[in-house]
Amino acid sequence: MSNKNQWLLNVPMVLLVWLTIPFLGVRNIKKFLPASIFIVIVEILLAQIGKERKWWVFYKKNSFISVALPFYIGPFLIGSMWILKWTYGNFKRFITLNAIVDGMFAILMMGLLKKLKLVTLVRFNKIQFFLYMFLKSFLLYGFQYLIEKRNAD
């Protein structure tokens, strides 16, 4: 994908999810932003490990800036806050929604990203990639739980 086309994909993707922020409400943003930032940082670190271990391969050299970063600061960050808003306090609902979202990403989005020649799985198949994504949801919920517990004390 050309750099121009990459920007035509990234800018709307990031802007559209950030436009939903006002609908979260200030209280929910303050409540869920720390855990969402935490999980983005974890994902950035794990993504670097995955890149080094060839769990996946990006087609471009500057893939972090052009492919990964827009996803992390857009759908991943804001999506984490929305999922927490809708489900926090009901762990079964939280896990179910994360399984659905992560499954769609692992199967549908990774297929699309491969067709767009952005990234492809190498040492992970789609099930392993789903598990990689899904297991981080426990970290997100656990971190939010610790924040809530600390604030209650």
Side-chain angles (χ1 to χ4, degrees):
M1 178 176 279
S2 72
N3 285 337
K4 180 181 177 185
N5 288 341
Q6 185 68 50
W7 280 103
L8 290 174
L9 176 70
N10 289 343
V11 171
M13 174 183 67
V14 172
L15 284 178
L16 285 174
V17 294
W18 273 90
L19 287 173
T20 69
I21 286 284
F23 301 108
L24 274 168
V26 174
R27 188 177 138 266
N28 288 315
I29 293 168
K30 288 179 181 178
K31 182 177 181 178
F32 299 126
L33 185 61
S36 298
I37 290 172
F38 167 75
I39 206 64
V40 166
I41 292 168
V42 167
E43 173 55 25
I44 288 170
L45 295 173
L46 289 174
Q48 293 306 311
I49 293 169
K51 189 176 174 182
E52 290 170 12
R53 294 185 178 193
K54 301 248 188 271
W55 294 342
W56 46 77
V57 171
F58 289 92
Y59 288 90
K60 289 183 175 183
K61 286 185 179 182
N62 62 347
S63 59
F64 181 78
I65 301 294
S66 65
V67 178
L69 187 62
F71 173 74
Y72 297 145
I73 65 170
F76 198 76
L77 176 68
I78 306 305
S80 296
M81 285 193 287
W82 275 106
I83 288 173
L84 285 168
K85 177 189 183 323
W86 288 329
T87 63
Y88 187 74
N90 185 332
F91 187 70
K92 186 176 179 181
R93 187 182 311 157
F94 175 82
I95 289 301
T96 302
L97 183 57
N98 268 283
I100 292 167
V101 170
D102 293 340
M104 288 174 46
F105 186 81
I107 294 166
L108 301 176
M109 284 303 295
M110 287 306 289
L112 177 63
L113 294 174
K114 182 177 180 179
K115 284 182 182 179
L116 293 173
K117 301 228 182 274
L118 295 174
V119 62
T120 188
L121 297 174
V122 177
R123 291 194 175 152
F124 269 11
N125 61 37
K126 288 182 179 181
I127 300 296
Q128 291 167 321
F129 186 71
F130 162 76
L131 291 172
Y132 162 82
M133 295 292 292
F134 182 66
L135 290 174
K136 288 181 291 208
S137 62
F138 292 92
L139 281 175
L140 176 62
Y141 198 92
F143 194 82
Q144 183 63 38
Y145 176 80
L146 292 174
I147 291 171
E148 297 283 324
K149 187 175 178 184
R150 188 194 77 182
N151 290 342
D153 292 340

